[in-house]
Amino acid sequence: MRDDRGGRPDAAVVRDALGVGIAVGLSGFAFGVTSAGSGLTVWQTCALSLLVFTGASQFALVGALAAGGNPLTAAAGAFFLGVRNAFYGLRLSQLLALPRAVRPFAAQWVIDETTAVSLAQRDRRGARIGFAVTGLSLYVLWNLTTLLGALGAEAIGDTDAWGLDAAGPAVFLALLAPMLKSTTERVAAALAVLLGLGLLPVLPGGVPVLVAALAAPLALWAEGRRQGRARGEAEEERR
């Protein structure tokens, strides 16, 4: 059904949300394998997916542990990566306007994918459906495939040779790319990549991601300056 404000049909929103939930949820297998390969037990691996449930932070944690990092340092890096979800929450709280009793439970599902699907909708009803369907399908499938990956890690062997730790970021990039429609958005994304990769060797884990977030205000500032100059030149021509 389509609501009175011209939103997308519910079935279309559910279809897209399920597509994202299933596609990303399957990468939980990669996390399970990588986590088990870093030395965590099956139960520790599953606890991370159940309680943390933010793929980038989970991969950062087990990646640091696999590299021989200190557990506290690894946890700090994962925390820094997870900070972005707080900013997602600020935007989604206005968009979804959920009842207060529901918000603590919904906060567990405030991640990259649910935010992307919710913001892609044209009205609040569609955003709520997209958030709920994406969150539920992804949470269930991610945790199931995490368990399967952790149990099957021994059969796979050398997990580093498979490059499975790149599965999560690759999926996120696939979701992000179609949303970059304007020049400003593309510039912001490119600048974020340069900042993130350039600072990766010199800053602690997780910090380059936070610094890369500065790409958005910088790109907007540059665009504002460009538009201001254009308006000034137009006024000069009219004179």
Side-chain angles (χ1 to χ4, degrees):
M1 296 177 62
R2 187 188 299 271
D3 70 12
D4 295 336
R5 292 176 293 178
R8 299 175 63 210
D10 293 352
V13 178
V14 170
R15 181 189 64 240
D16 293 347
L18 281 176
V20 172
I22 293 173
V24 180
L26 291 175
S27 63
F29 182 84
F31 169 72
V33 172
T34 305
S35 180
S38 71
L40 296 183
T41 67
V42 173
W43 295 112
Q44 289 172 328
T45 297
C46 291
L48 279 174
S49 283
L50 285 168
L51 302 177
V52 178
F53 187 56
T54 175
S57 295
Q58 293 177 232
F59 275 109
L61 176 62
V62 299
L65 293 176
N70 182 284
L72 293 179
T73 303
F79 171 79
F80 279 123
L81 280 174
V83 166
R84 71 191 188 284
N85 293 338
F87 295 99
Y88 294 161
L90 293 175
R91 179 67 182 93
L92 290 180
S93 65
Q94 299 175 349
L95 177 63
L96 302 178
L98 297 173
R100 290 185 179 273
V102 178
R103 291 178 186 177
F105 302 98
Q108 177 70 350
W109 290 353
V110 177
I111 55 176
D112 299 322
E113 293 78 15
T114 55
T115 301
V117 172
S118 298
L119 294 179
Q121 308 311 315
R122 302 170 186 168
D123 63 341
R124 178 167 293 164
R125 175 183 174 84
R128 285 180 170 180
I129 293 174
F131 179 85
V133 174
T134 305
L136 178 60
S137 60
L138 181 49
Y139 189 77
V140 171
L141 192 55
W142 177 268
N143 281 281
L144 177 60
T145 54
T146 292
L147 174 60
L148 295 176
L151 292 174
E154 293 183 0
I156 291 179
D158 184 7
T159 57
D160 291 338
W162 292 81
L164 294 176
D165 56 335
V171 171
F172 177 67
L173 288 176
L175 291 172
L176 176 65
M179 301 179 66
L180 304 178
K181 299 178 180 179
S182 69
T183 301
T184 302
E185 291 170 348
R186 296 190 184 99
V187 169
L191 182 58
V193 170
L194 292 176
L195 288 173
L197 294 179
L199 296 174
L200 193 60
V202 296
L203 293 179
V207 177
V209 176
L210 297 180
V211 177
L214 296 175
L218 287 174
L220 291 173
W221 174 79
E223 177 63 16
R225 289 288 302 272
R226 187 190 67 80
Q227 292 181 356
R229 287 195 300 269
R231 286 194 296 268
E233 291 174 357
E235 291 176 359
E236 287 294 331
E237 290 179 358
R238 285 196 297 269
R239 291 175 185 174

